[in-house]
Amino acid sequence: MNTEIDGRLETDIAWVVDRAQPADAASKALADKVTRTVATRLESLITGKPQPQAASTVGAPAQSDESRMVEHAHAVIPWFQKNGNPSGLERPIYKQLSAFMLLVAQLLKCELAGRASNATGAGLQRLILPYEKVDTNPEGADDGTKIDVGLRSCPVNSPVEAQPDASYGRALAVVEAKGRSTKALWHQAYAQLFDYSHNVYYCQIDRRFIWGLACCGSEVRACIFSNYRAFASPAIDMTDKAGRSELVRLLVGWSLCDNDRLGYDDTIVWNSELQCYEISVPCADRPGESVPYYTDAFIIGAERLFSRHCRCFLATSTRPTAPVTEDNPLVPDCVIKDTWTFHDEQYNEPALDTGGNSAGSTSTGNSRDNSDGSRGDGNGEVADKLARVTIGGEAVFCWPPENFDLSSLTERSEIGILRKIDARLRHRVDLDGRYPRILDGGWVFQGSDTQRVLDSTRLILGDLDSAQQSRTPFCVHMRYAMTPIGEPLKYVCSIPELIVVLHDVMRCHAAIYDECRILHRDISDSNILIVRPKSGGVHGMLIDFDCAVDKSVTKRFTRPECSGSLPYMSVGNLERLPIPRTQLDDWES
């Protein structure tokens, strides 16, 4: 974890809080105005002195609201004092920070009562409230570790009070606190924040990126986590009026911005009528349109904090006729794969972890529940930490222009690879079902139909400066539906079945290379599945072509790229020998 902090975290980044602000002009103007008003009212409450009034959009709060705000203000005052925590213990900060969140939420609700998302879209979208339990192990944790404070996004009409039942599945952000502000304690706070926040990705299938807060003494830093890099704001000094105003600005931004600024995916929504998720998959036949798919089960979760955040869902494009229940289960006929791919055309010396989800693209296994009882990504303890790495020197990245051509990236992606394979091998009836076939798929766009924006690192982080771009991989969001559905090798019933499955996969691999000139480059047990057709019998399927390359295309790298699942890499691949990768490397795997 210390290595991840040193290699992944950039600190004192001035624009972090800006990324929490609403994107549209009307909401941004309202957020700026409300921030000034709430910050002024906050100062009045904690000092007991009237402050120069900013223009308010609503009248004075009700007496009950006023008394609650005074109560929260009294609870938070020690946090605003330079020597307010002489013991240096972190536990008092939990309650003080929670009281601050409640105070700001109460002020916001009073200030914007009746202005929940008006015709222009500007208005209060949600309340940011803390969980009631502090220093707690939330539901959905993969171990016994405890978070200090959790924050949740709640409907506007929610009562302003601490929320019960801490859960990673509903958390907006995790807060990690320390009693004093020292370099060592900041490092510990970041380490624990990194360690706990990955659970948010796993438990929330609609999360594109996440937020977090680190707090040491009376200083706070907001953190934003993208696929392969984290950025922390400068220290927000809560003993200073300007610092308090800055944390208010963050909370106001979170409360007024659209969901995509919080990291949520508008193309994955919970359908309360049908009691299942509805996922929009780009349509294969009609560019710019999408096809709704329905799912109530994910089989691969985004387990790691820094990865492609690959998720797989058992799904169907047939709309359920009634709510999905145990008695009326959803019957899947395909797998949706949701992942982030690299725009790597101009990379120099790739040196990236390419996954963290090495279980295959159409597997019915669960990424956290392995046959040995461990929790990982399908390959046990070794693969859990080391799966699918690309080894090399320090990476230097070059971002594409804002409106770059996606066609070349599509050709190199798994969608492009599988479409080429299918076009060349569809006549091979003997290979039917031995490789995945794309039903629908393409690049994911966020926003409304009238203003759709490609979901990428740029949409999440904005346009970074050239130095930050050179250290930050540029990723693009992709989603596709595939068939057939398979099972992991651990479900093989007999030695003869295993022989049949491996024979099918070896035959398929040879045909793909001989007739398509495509090299898989990631052969492992998790990328070989068992398929049991309804007609009976069993056959094997080779999946996960994320690392595959088209050998008929000009080589893109001056030195061989080392990629694949680490325990299965060939010697030449592991040693990064200066020789071309061939079929022999795959056979060795």
Side-chain angles (χ1 to χ4, degrees):
M1 188 57 64
N2 289 342
T3 303
E4 282 204 324
I5 295 173
D6 296 337
R8 309 275 196 181
L9 177 65
E10 297 201 23
T11 57
D12 297 321
I13 305 300
W15 49 258
V16 170
V17 175
D18 294 336
R19 297 307 299 169
Q21 304 308 303
D24 66 281
S27 295
K28 177 65 168 63
L30 179 62
D32 290 343
K33 181 179 180 180
V34 170
T35 295
R36 292 191 295 270
T37 304
V38 170
T40 299
R41 182 75 177 112
L42 172 70
E43 294 303 312
S44 178
L45 283 166
I46 63 175
T47 62
K49 300 177 181 178
Q51 300 289 316
Q53 290 296 311
S56 178
T57 60
V58 185
Q63 185 61 40
S64 59
D65 293 336
E66 181 74 21
S67 61
R68 280 194 292 267
M69 288 188 286
V70 171
E71 179 184 345
H72 296 321
H74 286 167
V76 82
I77 284 175
W79 194 34
F80 298 162
Q81 298 171 341
K82 291 187 180 297
N83 298 310
N85 185 21
S87 68
L89 299 176
E90 63 184 62
R91 194 168 187 86
I93 296 177
Y94 306 164
K95 294 296 185 181
Q96 294 160 2
L97 193 146
S98 296
F100 183 83
M101 300 296 168
L102 292 169
L103 176 56
V104 173
Q106 191 71 62
L107 287 167
L108 257 176
K109 192 169 184 178
C110 292
E111 181 65 21
L112 292 177
R115 286 201 58 162
S117 247
N118 60 21
T120 66
L124 190 60
Q125 303 284 343
R126 64 194 67 83
L127 297 175
I128 308 302
L129 301 174
Y131 282 117
E132 183 178 18
K133 289 185 178 180
V134 297
D135 191 25
T136 186
N137 181 240
E139 179 186 352
D142 63 355
D143 54 29
T145 54
K146 298 179 179 181
I147 64 171
D148 293 340
V149 180
L151 302 180
R152 181 180 175 184
S153 169
C154 298
V156 173
N157 58 358
S158 302
V160 179
E161 57 189 30
Q163 299 297 293
D165 305 324
S167 166
Y168 279 119
R170 296 183 294 271
L172 168 66
V174 172
V175 184
E176 178 57 34
K178 298 297 175 187
R180 298 185 187 278
S181 178
T182 67
K183 184 177 180 180
L185 288 176
W186 272 112
H187 197 275
Q188 288 180 26
Y190 286 134
Q192 289 176 292
L193 185 62
F194 277 36
D195 191 26
Y196 305 155
S197 293
H198 78 277
N199 289 295
V200 177
Y201 276 126
Y202 184 84
C203 294
Q204 298 182 26
I205 67 171
D206 59 343
R207 207 63 187 268
R208 299 155 47 241
F209 65 92
I210 59 177
W211 288 89
L213 291 178
C215 173
C216 288
S218 293
E219 292 182 340
V220 180
R221 285 182 167 93
C223 299
I224 186 171
F225 296 90
S226 65
N227 290 83
Y228 286 96
R229 208 144 188 89
F231 300 86
S233 71
I236 299 171
D237 185 358
M238 300 304 292
T239 67
D240 179 71
K241 179 178 178 180
R244 294 190 287 271
S245 178
E246 183 71 351
L247 189 54
V248 168
R249 187 167 79 95
L250 174 69
L251 296 176
V252 170
W254 280 351
S255 302
L256 270 67
C257 69
D258 288 335
N259 277 331
D260 69 294
R261 303 288 272 196
L262 298 180
Y264 294 104
D265 190 335
D266 289 336
T267 64
I268 300 178
V269 297
W270 174 254
N271 189 315
S272 56
E273 177 189 353
L274 298 176
Q275 289 296 295
C276 64
Y277 280 97
E278 185 173 327
I279 302 179
S280 298
V281 179
C283 183
D285 302 323
R286 301 184 300 277
E289 298 184 27
S290 61
V291 179
Y293 281 76
Y294 304 89
T295 181
D296 64 346
F298 74 90
I299 50 177
I300 302 290
E303 173 72 14
R304 301 176 63 186
L305 183 61
F306 297 111
S307 72
R308 293 179 303 126
H309 299 149
C310 178
R311 299 176 173 100
C312 293
F313 311 89
L314 294 176
T316 179
S317 60
T318 303
R319 181 183 173 88
T321 57
V324 176
T325 63
E326 289 186 6
D327 296 328
N328 181 45
L330 187 145
V331 181
D333 52 26
C334 66
V335 169
I336 294 175
K337 184 173 181 177
D338 185 276
T339 186
W340 292 73
T341 189
F342 302 117
H343 181 275
D344 59 356
E345 189 170 18
Q346 302 182 71
Y347 285 4
N348 177 32
E349 295 299 321
L352 288 173
D353 173 308
T354 63
N357 299 99
S358 63
S361 58
T362 50
S363 165
T364 58
N366 185 289
S367 67
R368 282 199 177 188
D369 300 315
N370 298 327
S371 58
D372 60 359
S374 64
R375 284 188 155 187
D377 51 10
N379 276 337
E381 294 182 2
V382 174
D384 183 33
K385 297 181 180 179
L386 301 174
R388 298 172 54 86
V389 296
T390 299
I391 303 170
E394 183 176 353
V396 177
F397 307 100
C398 185
W399 284 26
E402 186 166 356
N403 296 310
F404 67 100
D405 184 7
L406 281 166
S407 58
S408 62
L409 183 57
T410 302
E411 291 175 4
R412 300 195 307 273
S413 70
E414 185 175 24
I415 286 183
I417 294 290
L418 287 175
R419 283 175 174 161
K420 178 178 179 179
I421 291 172
D422 196 34
R424 299 283 180 88
L425 298 182
R426 186 170 279 271
H427 69 285
R428 292 282 303 270
V429 180
D430 61 312
L431 294 179
D432 187 34
R434 272 67 178 179
Y435 60 87
R437 281 182 174 164
I438 300 291
L439 300 175
D440 287 295
W443 305 108
V444 176
F445 287 75
Q446 299 292 329
S448 64
D449 293 336
T450 57
Q451 192 174 7
R452 298 168 69 249
V453 182
L454 179 67
D455 201 7
S456 68
T457 306
R458 178 179 280 113
L459 183 61
I460 295 171
L461 301 178
D463 272 312
L464 307 184
D465 63 39
S466 58
Q468 290 171 343
Q469 286 186 11
S470 70
R471 298 188 294 268
T472 306
F474 187 89
C475 300
V476 187
H477 194 179
M478 175 173 273
R479 182 181 300 148
Y480 35 105
M482 299 175 289
T483 188
I485 297 173
E487 298 177 326
L489 275 180
K490 66 182 180 181
Y491 294 113
V492 70
C493 295
S494 64
I495 296 298
E497 267 197 3
L498 179 62
I499 292 172
V500 168
V501 168
L502 295 181
H503 174 261
D504 283 341
V505 169
M506 293 170 72
R507 218 165 30 87
C508 181
H509 179 274
I512 288 173
Y513 186 79
D514 293 340
E515 299 187 38
C516 308
R517 303 302 295 167
I518 288 173
L519 191 62
H520 188 280
R521 301 199 312 164
D522 191 13
I523 302 296
S524 69
D525 62 348
S526 62
N527 290 337
I528 299 172
L529 299 185
I530 311 162
V531 178
R532 302 184 188 278
K534 292 182 179 179
S535 57
V538 63
H539 62 77
M541 178 169 61
L542 180 62
I543 64 165
D544 204 348
F545 287 78
D546 281 309
C547 293
V549 292
D550 189 340
K551 300 293 282 188
S552 64
V553 177
T554 304
K555 191 174 182 181
R556 291 180 287 135
F557 302 117
T558 57
R559 289 170 59 184
E561 183 184 4
C562 181
S563 62
S565 299
L566 190 61
Y568 302 94
M569 288 181 181
S570 67
V571 172
N573 200 6
L574 275 172
E575 297 293 334
R576 200 174 174 82
L577 299 179
I579 55 177
R581 304 291 176 253
T582 68
Q583 268 187 302
L584 293 178
D585 292 277
D586 277 0
W587 289 123
E588 187 177 338
S589 296

